[in-house]
């Protein structure tokens, strides 16, 4: 008689023989417990998309409607932050015109970004991890092309971008798009040899270039006097990144049929894994730690740093280890209030460190405190730790840490997104008070972290697979009877292998008025369920992805001295003028963006000079409203022919505040277009962006 393992293997073989018919998928589900198949009378639950999006985004709901998966749960804070984080994602999409879209880290410009694009490579892995769950695949696809085919991955900071590309492939299964990047991935990987110590078999990096200035290694290497620069160290971060990048390259090479490259990079990954486990694990600290590359009067080559840091969890984040008992004790440190588990968030280092929370650096212009990693809570690293924790919990049974801890820490992180009753994630926080530390204008709605991926792949447990299946393993305790338990959740219309995947959990079946327990739907049809939380392995026959449509706005200006060039009837500050055509659209009031009228009459205009004849058929107009600004009462478009302005008949709706309106018209050939505006009485206009296609 076959045991559970034997029955499972027989079922797998049966599914393989049966092929990918939908009937087989519905009836031959693989799971870790007996399956409950839907009765014919059980309705398919559906979240009210339009109602939800209108509530969360108001006039801007159109942007999200055919793009984001929906989420619902019994925790309204999780719900609100989930939708806010898609708003942050939308705000950080910069249209580069012919080069496509990229994601930015800061909404406004900073001095260390890559010009003229405002790109930074350190936050990219988070951007791709979030964007892979969009049904509109253009954003992740454009961004990866920019990074690997247009020099965007400039190694300004350490990075795990090849690994992020693999994570994206697991969701959409678009091998053609991914393999086009493989030669560049290998090239960039090889460039990191300039940070490789061949005698130790490990990568090293200066903490500043690891995007974590003022860490233990850099502060102590300065004798406690500074820490912004210096402190070169063999760190769990860059070595985990390079392990994951090598493994991704190996897997992509295998997809391409290049067995030699696949074998080579798999061996590199395994060597990296071995060296991290041998050299960077500290039995004394029960944690992964840095070892010094630098040797000076304060610290010495190959010595271990003297304090635990959150960076020690990155081997789990990037799959270097799973549930191995030897290392599991490290997780108790984020649960201890006197160690890394702060009262309002995860500390980047422990309070016992001599220079914990000491402030070394202030912004010269404002006197406000600057970025440091000697104790503050960083959404950046909180995301990495929660991703690592999800990997650990998916890899094996609860141990030093459990599924209830994941939900608690995710809720703690969600609460960090609030400033009073207002959603606004900033750079870093005081672990004692939960208040933002940096407080600079650039910090508002900061995008160097993730959240929606933590909900989809962690909380809801959607683990994408390289084969024609998906693992559903929600990170919630089974049989939880606590008062603050999550009684229900749903993620709906998640793009997966060309299909739409939905997962519903309802403890007693009353909230969604249907089946109790966990249910999985593929393109609206029930394909697997069970009466309680637990793992389901569901076959998913792949389908073709929708074709990516790439309309290119000809009005985008990246360099102010080049065409296209803007002009206006008032509000002629060069920075504000340029913001009207710089490819950035957001409606966050904390950071003004766009051209602002200043005239005293109700009639104003904003013009775009292309410097050459162009053919146009469509426009997108985005107006901000709030404070002194309101959407115009009306607007009209004009185009220039032989130096004369002519009216342009358009089709489209009335102007809306804090939204993007699309208008179409018959093809025109022109050198310039002018937007003529009738302002609302007593209000000015802020044009976040005009795009002309």
């Amino acid at each position: 008689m076959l045991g559970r393992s034997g029955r499972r293997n027989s079922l797998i073989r049966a599914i393989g023989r049966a092929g990918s018919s939908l009937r087989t998928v519905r009836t031959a589900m693989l799971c870790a417990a007996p399956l409950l198949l839907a009765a014919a009378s059980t309705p398919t639950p559906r979240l009210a998309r339009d109602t939800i999006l209108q509530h969360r985004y108001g006039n801007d709901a159109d942007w999200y409607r055919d793009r984001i998966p929906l989420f619902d749960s019994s925790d309204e804070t999780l719900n609100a932050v989930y939708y806010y984080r898609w708003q942050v994602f939308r705000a950080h999409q910069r249209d580069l015109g012919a080069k496509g879209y990229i994601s930015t880290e800061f909404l406004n410009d900073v001095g260390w970004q890559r010009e003229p694009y405002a790109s930074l490579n350190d936050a990219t892995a988070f951007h791709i991890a979030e964007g892979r769950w969009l049904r509109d695949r253009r954003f992740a696809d454009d961004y990866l092309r920019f990074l690997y085919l247009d020099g965007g991955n400039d190694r300004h900071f350490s990075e795990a971008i090849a690994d992020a590309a693999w994570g994206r492939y697991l969701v959409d299964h678009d091998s053609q798009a991914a393999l086009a990047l493989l030669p560049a991935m290998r090239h960039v990987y090889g460039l990191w040899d300039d940070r490789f110590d061949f005698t130790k078999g490990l990568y090293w990096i200066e903490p500043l270039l690891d995007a974590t200035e003022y860490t233990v290694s850099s502060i102590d290497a300065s004798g406690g006097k500074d820490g912004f620069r210096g402190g070169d160290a063999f760190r769990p971060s860059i070595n985990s990144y390079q392990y994951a990048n090598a493994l991704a390259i190996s897997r992509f090479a295998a997809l391409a049929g290049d067995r030699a490259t696949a074998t080579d990079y798999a061996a590199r990954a395994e060597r990296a894994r071995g060296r991290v486990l041998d050299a960077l694990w500290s039995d004394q600290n029960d944690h992964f730690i840095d070892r010094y590359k630098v040797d000076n009067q304060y610290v010495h080559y190959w010595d271990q740093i003297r304090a635990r840091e959150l960076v020690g969890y990155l081997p789990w984040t990037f799959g270097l280890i799973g549930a191995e008992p030897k290392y599991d004790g490290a997780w108790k440190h984020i649960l201890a209030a006197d160690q890394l588990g702060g009262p309002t968030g995860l500390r980047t280092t422990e309070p016992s460190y001599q220079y914990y929370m000491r402030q070394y650096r202030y912004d010269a212009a404002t006197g406000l405190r600057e970025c440091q990693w000697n104790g503050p809570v960083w959404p950046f690293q909180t995301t990495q730790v929660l991703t690592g924790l999800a990997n650990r919990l998916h890899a094996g049974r609860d141990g030093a840490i459990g599924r209830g801890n994941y939900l608690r820490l995710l809720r703690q992180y969600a609460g960090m997104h609030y400033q009073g009753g207002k959603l606004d994630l900033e750079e870093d926080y005081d672990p004692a008070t939960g208040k933002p530390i940096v407080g600079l204008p650039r910090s508002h709605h900061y995008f160097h972290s993730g959240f929606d991926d933590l909900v989809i792949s962690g909380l809801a447990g959607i683990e994408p697979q390289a084969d024609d299946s998906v693992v559903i393993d929600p990170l919630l305790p089974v049989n939880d009877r606590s008062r603050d338990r999550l009684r229900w959740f749903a993620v709906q219309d998640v793009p997966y292998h060309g299909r739409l995947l939905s997962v519903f959990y309802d403890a007693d079946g009353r909230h969604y008025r249907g089946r109790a327990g966990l249910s999985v739907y593929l393109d609206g049809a029930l394909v697997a369920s069970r009466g309680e939380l637990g793992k389901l392995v569901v076959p998913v026959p792949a389908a073709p992805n929708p074709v990516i449509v790439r309309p290119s706005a000809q009005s985008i200006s990246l360099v102010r001295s080049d065409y296209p060039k803007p002009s206006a009837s008032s509000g002629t500050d060069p920075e504000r003028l340029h913001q009207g055509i710089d490819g950035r659209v957001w409606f966050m009031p904390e950071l003004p963006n766009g051209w602002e009228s200043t005239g005293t009459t109700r009639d104003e205009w904003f013009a775009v000079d292309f410097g050459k004849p162009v053919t146009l058929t469509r426009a997108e107009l985005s107006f901000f409203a709030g404070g002194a600004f309101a959407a115009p009462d009306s607007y009209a478009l004009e185009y220039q022919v032989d130096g004369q302005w002519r009216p342009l008949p358009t089709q489209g709706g009335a102007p809306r505040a804090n939204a993007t309106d699309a208008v179409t018209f018959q093809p025109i050939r022109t050198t310039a277009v002018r937007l003529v505006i009738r302002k609302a009485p007593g209000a000015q206009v802020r044009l976040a962006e005009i795009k002309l296609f």
Side-chain angles (χ1 to χ4, degrees):
M1 182 175 180
L2 288 174
R4 176 177 294 178
S5 177
R7 290 195 300 270
R8 181 180 298 123
N9 291 335
S10 294
L11 184 54
I12 292 172
R13 290 191 293 270
I15 293 171
R17 289 193 300 267
S20 60
S21 71
L22 186 56
R23 180 179 179 184
T24 300
V25 174
R26 291 180 182 175
T27 58
M29 295 298 101
L30 174 63
C31 64
L35 292 173
L36 300 174
L37 296 181
S41 59
T42 304
T44 299
R46 295 293 295 173
L47 301 178
R49 175 177 298 278
D50 289 347
T51 301
I52 291 171
L53 297 182
Q54 184 64 36
H55 170 65
R56 299 295 179 182
Y57 303 119
N59 287 344
D60 203 31
D62 290 348
W63 191 91
Y64 304 89
R65 182 166 290 107
D66 296 321
R67 290 190 169 106
I68 71 169
L70 298 183
F71 174 69
D72 176 56
S73 79
S74 58
D75 188 324
E76 174 53 25
T77 297
L78 291 179
N79 301 344
V81 174
Y82 176 86
Y83 288 103
Y84 164 70
R85 288 303 300 249
W86 283 125
Q87 189 177 27
V88 170
F89 184 95
R90 189 257 208 270
H92 281 273
Q93 297 313 298
R94 186 175 191 188
D95 189 346
L96 304 182
K99 292 181 181 292
Y101 280 89
I102 66 166
S103 297
T104 61
E105 180 177 339
F106 298 92
L107 286 181
N108 55 352
D109 293 319
V110 294
W112 56 96
Q113 68 191 20
R114 182 173 181 245
E115 297 291 359
Y117 312 110
S119 67
L120 288 164
N121 76 316
D122 55 329
T124 299
F126 299 115
H127 301 159
I128 300 299
E130 302 279 278
R132 65 181 176 155
W133 299 113
L134 287 174
R135 297 203 301 282
D136 186 345
R137 298 187 304 124
R138 178 180 184 183
F139 300 105
D141 199 73
D142 280 2
Y143 195 17
L144 284 167
R145 287 155 58 100
F146 170 80
L147 289 160
Y148 278 119
L149 305 182
D150 209 3
N153 186 6
D154 57 359
R155 300 194 310 125
H156 188 114
F157 295 99
S158 57
E159 47 84 16
I161 298 175
D163 175 68
W166 176 255
R168 189 250 181 160
Y169 166 76
L170 290 179
V171 172
D172 74 356
H173 255 205
D174 186 346
S175 59
Q176 182 177 359
L179 295 182
L181 310 176
L182 182 57
M185 287 181 188
R186 295 179 60 186
H187 174 71
V188 172
Y189 188 92
L191 294 176
W192 281 108
D193 280 355
D194 64 1
R195 294 290 188 277
F196 191 71
D197 186 320
F198 287 86
T199 64
K200 296 298 185 184
L202 288 166
Y203 292 90
W204 58 271
I205 198 162
E206 180 183 26
L208 173 63
L209 300 183
D210 215 16
T212 57
E213 60 271 34
Y214 294 101
T215 65
V216 172
S217 63
S218 62
I219 293 171
D220 282 0
S222 75
K225 300 174 184 177
D226 192 19
F228 182 65
R229 299 304 304 258
D232 296 352
F234 304 100
R235 310 198 77 209
S237 50
I238 188 170
N239 285 284
S240 296
Y241 298 158
Q242 287 294 86
Y243 162 81
N245 285 336
L247 196 57
I249 292 171
S250 173
R251 289 165 169 167
F252 280 132
L255 283 177
D258 184 349
R259 295 181 62 181
T261 298
T263 301
D264 177 19
Y265 278 84
R268 297 184 193 212
E270 189 55 33
R271 287 195 298 270
R273 180 179 185 275
R275 291 302 294 139
V276 169
L277 299 183
D278 290 344
L280 300 187
W281 174 256
S282 169
D283 288 326
Q284 177 182 351
N285 291 288
D286 202 17
H287 205 63
F288 288 98
I289 48 79
D290 294 10
R291 287 183 181 269
Y292 286 106
K293 172 73 163 62
V294 65
D295 193 302
N296 62 25
Q297 60 182 313
Y298 304 113
V299 298
H300 300 292
Y301 179 78
W302 202 241
D303 281 355
Q304 296 182 7
I305 60 170
R306 59 182 174 129
R308 284 185 286 257
E309 298 176 304
L310 281 187
V311 73
Y313 294 104
L314 267 63
W316 284 275
T317 305
F318 292 93
L320 192 144
I321 53 176
E324 291 89 332
K326 175 180 178 179
Y327 311 107
D328 209 42
W331 289 105
K332 67 181 182 288
H333 305 309
I334 63 171
L335 303 179
D338 61 343
Q339 297 179 24
L340 295 170
T344 67
L346 299 178
R347 302 180 178 103
T348 48
T349 195
E350 296 177 337
S352 58
Y353 176 52
Q354 180 181 359
Y355 301 112
Y356 173 76
M357 294 294 289
R358 174 171 169 178
Q359 191 69 35
Y360 290 88
R361 188 169 182 240
Y362 294 82
D363 179 72
T366 65
L368 294 171
R369 291 186 290 176
E370 266 275 18
C371 306
Q372 302 203 178
W373 290 74
N374 56 346
V377 180
W378 282 82
F380 165 7
Q381 211 150 73
T382 297
T383 305
Q384 290 183 322
V385 172
L386 284 171
T387 301
L389 178 55
N391 290 339
R392 157 63 188 89
L393 295 172
H394 282 142
R397 295 182 177 181
D398 291 4
I401 197 166
R403 293 176 179 234
N405 300 119
Y406 183 87
L407 178 59
R408 181 184 67 81
L409 292 169
L410 183 66
R411 282 171 158 162
Q412 183 185 65
Y413 177 33
M416 193 183 303
H417 288 71
Y418 280 92
Q419 305 294 323
K422 186 177 182 181
L423 285 160
D424 182 6
L425 186 69
E426 299 202 31
E427 288 184 79
D428 63 343
Y429 295 79
D430 189 315
T433 67
K435 301 296 183 183
I437 291 177
V438 173
L440 294 166
R442 71 172 192 232
S443 298
H444 294 293
H445 310 292
Y446 182 53
F447 195 20
H448 194 164
S449 62
F451 186 86
D452 293 334
D453 180 59
L454 297 174
V455 169
I456 296 170
S457 65
L459 176 63
I462 299 177
E463 298 181 75
Q465 304 295 307
D467 62 9
D468 286 344
S469 72
V470 66
V471 174
I472 308 297
D473 188 13
L475 292 181
L476 296 174
V478 177
N479 298 321
D480 185 2
R481 297 292 182 263
S482 62
R483 179 180 299 178
D484 61 349
R485 69 188 184 279
L486 207 65
R487 289 169 291 158
W488 68 78
F489 75 79
V491 285
Q492 180 177 297
D493 294 337
V494 177
Y496 188 76
H497 295 195
R499 315 292 289 273
L500 289 180
L501 181 72
S502 299
V503 178
F504 281 75
Y505 169 70
D506 193 342
D508 55 20
R510 290 186 293 180
H511 181 73
Y512 296 119
R513 300 179 182 178
R515 177 179 306 281
L518 184 66
S519 303
V520 182
Y521 299 85
L522 193 61
D523 296 335
L526 181 72
V527 291
S529 67
R530 56 184 296 157
E532 61 183 15
L533 288 165
K535 182 182 291 188
L536 293 166
V537 183
V538 184
V540 180
N545 286 293
V547 175
I548 297 176
V549 180
R550 288 189 169 89
S552 179
Q554 300 187 64
S555 53
I556 301 298
S557 172
L558 301 178
V559 179
R560 293 173 198 165
S561 58
D562 294 345
Y563 286 100
K565 293 182 178 181
S567 60
S569 54
S570 68
T572 56
D573 175 74
E575 173 70 12
R576 289 283 186 229
L577 280 170
H578 183 253
Q579 287 180 4
I581 57 171
D582 69 352
R584 293 187 267 202
V585 178
W586 70 79
F587 307 110
M588 276 65 165
E590 296 82 6
L591 286 170
N593 172 55
W595 167 72
E596 297 176 353
S597 67
T598 58
T600 57
T601 63
R602 289 187 63 191
D603 295 317
E604 299 264 12
W605 57 264
F606 182 93
V608 181
D609 183 355
F610 295 96
K612 62 181 181 181
V614 296
T615 300
L616 303 171
T617 61
R618 185 166 65 88
E620 291 181 358
L621 306 169
S622 302
F623 295 102
F624 170 84
F629 302 96
D633 274 357
S634 63
Y635 60 77
L637 289 174
E638 299 176 339
Y639 67 108
Q640 196 171 69
V641 178
D642 297 329
Q644 301 297 314
W645 291 107
R646 297 182 182 178
L648 178 56
T650 61
Q651 293 182 341
R656 296 178 301 164
N658 300 325
T660 296
D661 293 321
V663 297
T664 60
F665 41 85
Q666 293 298 312
I668 59 168
R669 188 75 172 164
T670 186
T671 58
V673 168
R674 185 164 69 176
L675 174 66
V676 180
I677 297 167
R678 166 55 66 100
K679 297 185 294 189
Q684 296 291 351
V685 165
R686 179 184 293 163
L687 176 67
E689 187 80 10
I690 178 172
K691 290 185 181 181
L692 297 158
F693 300 85

